[in-house]
Amino acid sequence: MGKNMSVSKTLLVAFFLLATSVVAKAAEPKELVFLSWPDYMDPEILEEFEQRTGITIKQSYFDSDTARGELLLETEGKGFDVALINGASIRILAKRGWLEPLDELSIPNLKHVDPRFRTAFEKAEDFGVPYFWGTLGIVYRQDLVPFPVTSWMDLLQPVKQLHGKVSMIGDSADMIGVALKALGYSLNSTAPQELREAESLLQAQAPAVKTYRYISLNENSALLTGQLAMSMMYNGDTRMLQEYNENIAFVFPKEGGNIWIDYLSVLSASPKKAAAKRFINFLNEPEIAARLAQYVYYATPNKAAEALLPEDFRNDPVIYPSEETLKNFETYQRLPPRAQKNRAAIFSRIVY
């Protein structure tokens, strides 16, 4: 009988271990939802992550920082595991309790990231991992625009033959910011008179604007088909379009513009935080980060990855603009609530 009890006990332990293993496997997430810009991730890198971990990445897209903010507001930060957040928005989302704290214990590959980018925006060091950085400028078709573009005014006061062939980014900070820069003001201005001038400039331009949505970067892009001749655009995206048409040109306007940093953040409402952090850590493996930079044509904040990039990529003046080029460029700063409300009203009157 003692032997039978021993056998029964052994079988019971084996059953318990099997059941525990099944429950653990069932508890492992099979999918993460990643809120991102379109064309901002290499599909092959996502496949590699899935092969390593068994976790698939489902991407959900937004086409402006304003749209992302509205989406997170509607959902109260729920329904997503990882999200791309622009630097100026991290403090606001963290204050609402929607972002999970991140550090080198949970993201060991943070050690590869240049500290300058981690601390560039308020609360970014605590709630974000730098993804890419870049600038804002003008993209245009050299064969459709009859002069060399040099200024924001070329876009904001387009010649008559370009009416209906220009587009703007439907983002309040970017759109109002470039109007302010065109007028010689800071893109962080809170002066009522300067903002009124910026609104007047954007209102006068509006009849010539075909769309306020960010244009696609594939072979069906309106800039490639000729439906558009000029647009606001983030610098690296130009290189994607130039793969299809050599007449695509990009310029950093002489008045300057915005320098931005995008951050990877984990949503605090996510039930899969450990897997989300694992994904972010994977993206910051130097070899992975270097491959991703070359796919999206943007400058990486990952110093170890940057050392792996080809010399011609690191010397590309569109991807890595010089200090001289950026002398009139600014980052977005924290604005008082009244100024934010004023800008939201201006944006609404123009776009909606």
Side-chain angles (χ1 to χ4, degrees):
M1 184 161 181
K3 185 176 180 181
N4 287 340
M5 285 183 66
S6 177
V7 170
S8 298
K9 189 174 181 180
T10 300
L11 288 172
L12 185 62
V13 170
F15 176 77
F16 175 77
L17 290 173
L18 179 63
T20 302
S21 174
V22 170
V23 170
K25 283 192 173 183
E28 288 178 2
K30 300 297 182 186
E31 181 181 86
L32 291 173
V33 180
F34 179 30
L35 182 60
S36 178
W37 290 87
D39 305 303
Y40 208 23
M41 173 57 68
D42 183 348
E44 291 185 2
I45 285 176
L46 295 185
E47 289 174 12
E48 185 168 333
F49 180 72
E50 182 178 1
Q51 289 169 3
R52 286 200 208 177
T53 65
I55 302 170
T56 59
I57 304 296
K58 178 183 177 182
Q59 296 192 79
S60 182
Y61 301 115
F62 55 85
D63 64 0
S64 72
D65 290 322
T66 297
R68 186 218 48 244
E70 290 173 350
L71 180 59
L72 290 177
L73 192 62
E74 289 171 6
T75 62
E76 296 185 332
K78 298 173 184 176
F80 309 101
D81 302 299
V82 180
L84 275 172
I85 311 294
N86 64 309
S89 298
I90 285 190
R91 180 195 64 83
I92 298 168
L93 299 179
K95 187 177 180 181
R96 288 177 177 154
W98 293 353
L99 302 182
E100 171 79 359
L102 301 174
D103 55 31
E104 285 193 27
L105 288 176
S106 56
I107 315 286
N109 284 328
L110 263 172
K111 65 186 178 185
H112 299 303
V113 177
D114 189 330
R116 293 179 304 157
F117 295 102
R118 293 187 61 188
T119 59
F121 291 90
E122 190 176 354
K123 295 296 182 182
E125 186 175 17
D126 300 320
F127 295 95
V129 175
Y131 186 58
F132 289 109
W133 70 271
T135 59
L136 181 63
I138 300 173
V139 64
Y140 67 103
R141 284 276 298 268
Q142 296 178 98
D143 56 333
L144 300 180
V145 177
F147 55 88
V149 176
T150 60
S151 166
W152 283 118
M153 285 301 188
D154 294 328
L155 177 66
L156 294 170
Q157 294 178 332
V159 295
K160 190 169 183 179
Q161 70 186 78
L162 296 180
H163 282 208
K165 286 184 171 290
V166 301
S167 74
M168 298 288 285
I169 298 175
D171 178 83
S172 60
D174 285 343
M175 198 169 74
I176 295 170
V178 301
L180 287 165
K181 293 298 283 186
L183 293 165
Y185 305 133
S186 168
L187 52 76
N188 293 300
S189 175
T190 60
Q193 178 57 34
E194 293 177 4
L195 287 166
R196 281 194 290 272
E197 290 178 38
E199 179 176 5
S200 295
L201 182 59
L202 291 167
Q203 291 283 13
Q205 180 213 29
V209 176
K210 185 174 181 62
T211 180
Y212 289 96
R213 297 186 67 87
Y214 201 75
I215 62 177
S216 66
L217 304 176
N218 58 33
E219 65 272 15
N220 298 315
S221 172
L223 203 62
L224 296 173
T225 63
Q227 292 174 286
L228 292 174
M230 191 188 306
S231 177
M232 293 171 66
M233 182 165 280
Y234 303 118
N235 56 323
D237 291 347
T238 302
R239 292 294 188 234
M240 281 198 173
L241 290 175
Q242 287 173 334
E243 290 181 0
Y244 302 102
N245 190 323
E246 62 183 14
N247 286 307
I248 300 292
F250 179 84
V251 64
F252 297 102
K254 61 185 180 183
E255 301 92 346
N258 169 231
I259 299 174
W260 52 263
I261 305 171
D262 283 333
Y263 293 82
L264 292 157
S265 293
V266 175
L267 279 299
S268 57
S270 168
K272 309 168 187 175
K273 295 184 185 68
K277 292 173 185 178
R278 186 178 181 185
F279 176 55
I280 293 175
N281 194 58
F282 165 78
L283 292 178
N284 277 281
E285 292 179 12
E287 187 270 336
I288 295 295
R291 283 169 49 195
L292 187 51
Q294 292 173 85
Y295 181 84
V296 299
Y297 293 107
Y298 277 107
T300 177
N302 189 309
K303 293 176 72 175
E306 192 172 63
L308 300 176
L309 292 170
E311 186 176 353
D312 61 343
F313 188 91
R314 296 196 310 270
N315 292 332
D316 187 320
V318 170
I319 299 171
Y320 284 94
S322 68
E323 288 186 15
E324 176 64 22
T325 298
L326 297 178
K327 66 182 180 182
N328 294 322
F329 281 68
E330 308 173 68
T331 58
Y332 292 127
Q333 303 299 316
R334 181 177 178 178
L335 299 177
R338 180 174 293 183
Q340 294 177 27
K341 186 176 180 180
N342 188 13
R343 285 177 177 237
I346 292 171
F347 179 75
S348 181
R349 288 194 289 270
I350 294 166
V351 175
Y352 298 122

